[in-house]
Amino acid sequence: MLGSANRDPEVFTDPDRFDVTRNPTGHVALGYGPHVCLGAALAEMETEVALSLLLDRFPDLRAADTEPKRVMNPMLRGFAELRLAW
């Protein structure tokens, strides 16, 4: 199941917690070896640039104190809504 990727408790500490500072050594989100995504390096660079600009613009940005609404899908995990505050 795609929703279980990078959530193995034997590999990741507190795998159910969203943590942007986690160092995901060994993750396979963009593939590996001959199956690596051709755009992986570009996607990583774009994410780094976008998050840097966002945090420069809103230095006090944080998740709001409300419970995030999760996507209810047995194949994928993620958020349907994540409220931010600054």
Side-chain angles (χ1 to χ4, degrees):
M1 289 182 83
L2 295 174
S4 64
N6 302 326
R7 297 185 64 251
D8 183 349
E10 293 182 17
V11 177
F12 300 100
T13 303
D14 198 7
D16 292 325
R17 186 171 60 87
F18 178 68
D19 181 2
V20 297
T21 64
R22 179 180 289 150
N23 184 1
T25 303
H27 75 85
V28 293
L30 295 171
Y32 183 74
H35 304 287
V36 70
C37 172
L38 293 177
L42 179 61
E44 291 171 355
M45 182 185 69
E46 288 176 333
T47 300
E48 183 178 343
V49 169
L51 289 177
S52 293
L53 291 171
L54 181 68
L55 294 174
D56 284 347
R57 175 83 166 91
F58 301 101
D60 297 325
L61 187 67
R62 60 181 170 72
D65 294 332
T66 59
E67 189 67 26
K69 294 180 182 175
R70 292 196 173 268
V71 172
M72 302 306 288
N73 182 323
M75 291 299 291
L76 299 171
R77 294 190 184 268
F79 297 104
E81 181 179 296
L82 180 62
R83 293 178 183 242
L84 302 175
W86 57 87

